Amino acid sequence: MTHSHVTAVEDDEPELLRDQFRQLLRYRAIIAAGIGIGLLGGVWFGMSNADTYVATSQVVLRAPVNDPFNPSISQEKTLNMGSERQTALSSSVAEQAAKKLRWTGTIGKLQKDLQVTNPPQSQVLQFTYTADTPQAAADRANAVTQAYLDLRKKQWTDLRATMLDGQQKQLDEVAKKHDQKTKELDRMPDGAARDAEYGVKTNLLNRINELDGRISQLKSLDMSPGTVIRVATAPGYSDGPGLPMSLGLGALVGVALGLLVAWVRLVFDPAPRSAGDVARAVRAPVLGTLPRGATDVLLAEDHTDARAAEEYRSVAFRLAYDQRFADRRRLLVVAPRGSNEAAVAVASHLAASFAETGKDVLLIEADLRAPTLAGRLRAHAAAAPRWSKPVEGEESGWPARRQLSVDAGESGSFGLVPGERVRNVARALTGPRVSRLIAEADSPNSTVVVLAPPVLNYADALALVDRVDGVLIVCDPRGVHRTDLQRIRELIAGAGGTVLGAVVYTPGRGRRRAAKQQAARRGSGGGRGGRPAPEPAGTEEFAAEPEQILVGDGSDTVALRALRAEDLRTGDIRAGDR
């Protein structure tokens, strides 16, 4: 029904966070859309990975050595695992594997599903292949592994063969020189020259022995590039997370996505989404939050829901105990922009609530551009008070002698000074009669409620700000911008007034469209010229009740209405009066 008294808190960080989280929950459609997208993504991910199988094989690499048990030989320094991994992913290995598999597709397609990794601090290569069937994954992983080993063995073998060829050529040349030197020594006589040549022969023989040792060492090398320590086998289950887990992950991602988008929408949303936002914008408390449809009717007893009447009473109670208002009890009720229907309803309900407490309440309709209260409230003619009559020599105008009394049912009754269309609105609102009407009504038991047009549509309300004790702003948080509320506060403060608080409401579903249409007609048809837009037809609360209202000072009749001089000057002659 109602919300607690909301004040303009600016430094309470936990409260701001809680308020922001509550505001995020208002974007339920965005969050639901994010969850839906996440679930769809989870379904797609689960379905796409339902027939995915992964097979893995592992190889321990080694370099050709003469003595594998020699601890002085470090395999880490002999092998570069980064280079070996790039070799395993090369097109040369893929081509060899394609021949083994009799692959009919492209080499790139075969390489796309292959992954080769090297566990840290090891000489192990792990071949992982992903395929649509378990056996295909195992066969391709083994084929790629064997192709890599064959390529590495061929590279080592070719390198050894090249080295053997070089060593053998050197040996043949040295052996030929040795044979020639032996023949020369056989023909030479003994002496110093023969001894010198014999030393050369000895050196050639040592070179021959060295080359023979190298050749024997190369031939004795084990050319195996590595050992397969894990053969890929057909997996018994798919590698995907499964549909249930995919849906769960998709839901979590969707919630995160929805909250993120909702937060971005909240950050860039110009409208206040909570009572706290309104309070911070106007720097005044939110005195009440009206339930949906509470502004559809003008008197509490017409409500079918008692919550609305109780909320209006609580707003009046909070105002009555506000020291800024309690001294003289003069209140100005305004709306930000657009339709003024909510402000009309709040002003009439507050007048009835104050009358219920035994106050002499006077409701002044200062909306001189589209006055409607006289035909919408249960009003009848009442004797005009002394201070509402024009003084001698004063030009007649608004407010005239016409004052009505409104029957608020069990709440009692309150006075109504209805608005009238005038030629110069600014002059009428700033005239001495309005000032005297508001000032002289300030008796100890009286309360004055002034209703003005929307602040940002017309400047009429600003002309009355300095003559009342406070301003009450009536707004729909979803239909006004925070900047609008801040501008209203600045305008009121600049005019010498005080914002006592705000009342927020949610328009009924049936009234929201009518309010927008009326606001459009008011802005386009009437504009600033003062010509009011016609009220919407066919709406029950807009219908006048002429049989309950006796207008004027007694000179009106059923068939003939007495015209005033002001009507002739302003041109305010209705079709029925001609």
Side-chain angles (χ1 to χ4, degrees):
M1 176 183 72
T2 63
H3 296 274
S4 60
H5 188 64
V6 180
T7 57
V9 180
E10 298 192 12
D11 297 327
D12 191 356
E13 188 68 22
E15 181 63 28
L16 292 178
L17 292 177
R18 286 191 294 268
D19 185 56
Q20 188 178 54
F21 182 75
R22 286 193 295 267
Q23 293 178 43
L24 286 177
L25 296 181
R26 292 178 177 269
Y27 299 99
R28 297 183 182 89
I30 295 178
I31 298 176
I35 295 176
I37 293 174
L39 290 176
L40 290 177
V43 171
W44 174 82
F45 185 74
M47 296 291 292
S48 62
N49 290 276
D51 297 330
T52 301
Y53 298 89
V54 177
T56 303
S57 63
Q58 292 180 340
V59 176
V60 176
L61 302 183
R62 57 182 298 273
V65 293
N66 292 326
D67 186 4
F69 300 102
N70 188 353
S72 64
I73 301 176
S74 177
Q75 292 287 342
E76 295 180 358
K77 297 180 180 180
T78 307
L79 294 174
N80 188 332
M81 298 307 297
S83 299
E84 296 297 330
R85 180 176 175 274
Q86 294 300 322
T87 302
L89 292 171
S90 65
S91 60
S92 300
V93 174
E95 289 174 359
Q96 294 297 325
K99 293 179 181 178
K100 294 179 179 295
L101 294 170
R102 297 179 182 179
W103 182 263
T104 57
T106 62
I107 300 300
K109 186 176 181 180
L110 179 64
Q111 291 179 295
K112 183 182 69 173
D113 298 323
L114 174 64
Q115 184 179 7
V116 180
T117 57
N118 170 230
Q121 305 298 325
S122 69
Q123 285 76 48
V124 177
L125 283 184
Q126 178 173 293
F127 294 81
T128 303
Y129 202 93
T130 305
D132 295 336
T133 60
Q135 192 60 44
D139 293 342
R140 295 172 189 176
N142 290 326
V144 173
T145 304
Q146 190 60 46
Y148 167 74
L149 292 177
D150 292 344
L151 178 63
R152 295 303 291 150
K153 184 175 183 179
K154 181 178 181 300
Q155 290 176 345
W156 287 116
T157 303
D158 292 343
L159 179 60
R160 183 181 67 171
T162 302
M163 295 178 66
L164 285 173
D165 290 342
Q167 297 290 336
Q168 188 63 46
K169 288 180 180 180
Q170 293 182 32
L171 178 61
D172 292 343
E173 292 178 359
V174 174
K176 184 178 179 180
K177 292 179 180 180
H178 180 270
D179 293 342
Q180 291 176 356
K181 188 60 67 175
T182 301
K183 292 178 181 181
E184 292 177 359
L185 287 173
D186 291 341
R187 292 192 298 268
M188 290 180 66
D190 295 336
R194 190 174 185 276
D195 293 339
E197 293 296 330
Y198 188 79
V200 174
K201 177 184 175 182
T202 302
N203 291 336
L204 291 174
L205 183 59
N206 292 336
R207 179 62 177 168
I208 290 173
N209 292 332
E210 181 183 354
L211 291 174
D212 281 337
R214 290 183 180 181
I215 291 173
S216 299
Q217 186 179 11
L218 287 174
K219 289 182 178 180
S220 65
L221 287 176
D222 182 6
M223 304 307 297
S224 175
T227 304
V228 178
I229 60 175
R230 178 179 178 181
V231 178
T233 58
Y237 53 88
S238 65
D239 185 63
L243 188 59
M245 184 175 292
S246 298
L247 287 176
L249 292 175
L252 292 178
V253 174
V255 170
L257 178 63
L259 290 177
L260 176 62
V261 176
W263 179 79
V264 174
R265 177 70 176 86
L266 177 65
V267 169
F268 292 98
D269 189 2
R273 287 292 178 172
S274 68
D277 269 1
V278 175
R280 284 186 289 273
V282 300
R283 295 184 184 178
V286 173
L287 300 178
T289 301
L290 303 179
R292 183 183 296 274
T295 59
D296 290 350
V297 295
L298 301 186
L299 292 177
E301 65 176 9
D302 296 333
H303 282 289
T304 58
D305 189 357
R307 298 179 302 171
E310 291 300 323
E311 183 64 19
Y312 281 117
R313 292 188 181 98
S314 66
V315 174
F317 178 81
R318 291 165 183 161
L319 284 172
Y321 280 87
D322 191 330
Q323 191 63 33
R324 296 170 296 178
F325 173 76
D327 291 340
R328 294 187 296 176
R329 296 174 301 282
R330 294 185 296 195
L331 180 68
L332 176 64
V333 180
V334 295
R337 66 167 73 247
S339 175
N340 205 34
E341 296 305 315
V344 171
V346 171
S348 60
H349 279 92
L350 288 180
S353 298
F354 287 129
E356 191 175 12
T357 62
K359 301 292 184 182
D360 294 332
V361 182
L362 179 64
L363 175 60
I364 301 176
E365 185 183 15
D367 187 354
L368 307 183
R369 302 177 187 275
T372 59
L373 278 181
R376 297 170 61 185
L377 293 174
R378 291 188 294 271
H380 55 84
R386 174 187 55 80
W387 40 264
S388 68
K389 298 179 181 179
V391 298
E392 184 179 354
E394 183 181 31
E395 183 182 1
S396 61
W398 183 86
R401 299 174 180 271
R402 180 188 183 193
Q403 180 176 335
L404 306 178
S405 178
V406 178
D407 181 12
E410 296 181 356
S411 299
S413 62
F414 58 88
L416 170 65
V417 176
E420 296 181 9
R421 290 178 294 194
V422 297
R423 183 182 298 275
N424 193 321
V425 176
R427 179 179 299 176
L429 293 176
T430 56
R433 299 185 62 186
V434 176
S435 300
R436 190 172 67 254
L437 176 64
I438 297 176
E440 295 188 13
D442 189 18
S443 62
N445 197 40
S446 66
T447 300
V448 177
V449 179
V450 183
L451 173 65
V455 179
L456 299 181
N457 284 6
Y458 307 100
D460 299 354
L462 301 180
L464 303 168
V465 165
D466 58 341
R467 281 171 282 181
V468 297
D469 299 302
V471 180
L472 182 66
I473 301 175
V474 181
C475 66
D476 174 15
R478 297 174 183 243
V480 68
H481 292 178
R482 286 188 293 267
T483 55
D484 292 342
L485 295 177
Q486 294 170 0
R487 177 169 172 75
I488 290 174
R489 173 180 54 79
E490 293 171 356
L491 291 174
I492 293 174
T498 303
V499 178
L500 296 179
V503 173
V504 298
Y505 69 96
T506 302
R509 293 184 177 88
R511 289 287 302 275
R512 190 173 295 173
R513 181 179 301 178
K516 291 181 179 179
Q517 293 176 353
Q518 182 184 4
R521 287 193 297 266
R522 190 184 188 96
S524 60
R528 303 278 180 177
R531 296 179 63 84
E535 299 295 334
T539 306
E540 181 179 355
E541 57 268 24
F542 288 100
E545 300 181 9
E547 67 276 6
Q548 299 179 8
I549 305 174
L550 299 177
V551 186
D553 56 0
S555 60
D556 298 336
T557 62
V558 175
L560 180 64
R561 175 173 178 260
L563 295 179
R564 296 173 297 173
E566 180 187 1
D567 293 333
L568 297 177
R569 289 194 302 269
T570 60
D572 187 11
I573 304 177
R574 296 175 176 81
D577 299 333
R578 296 176 182 175

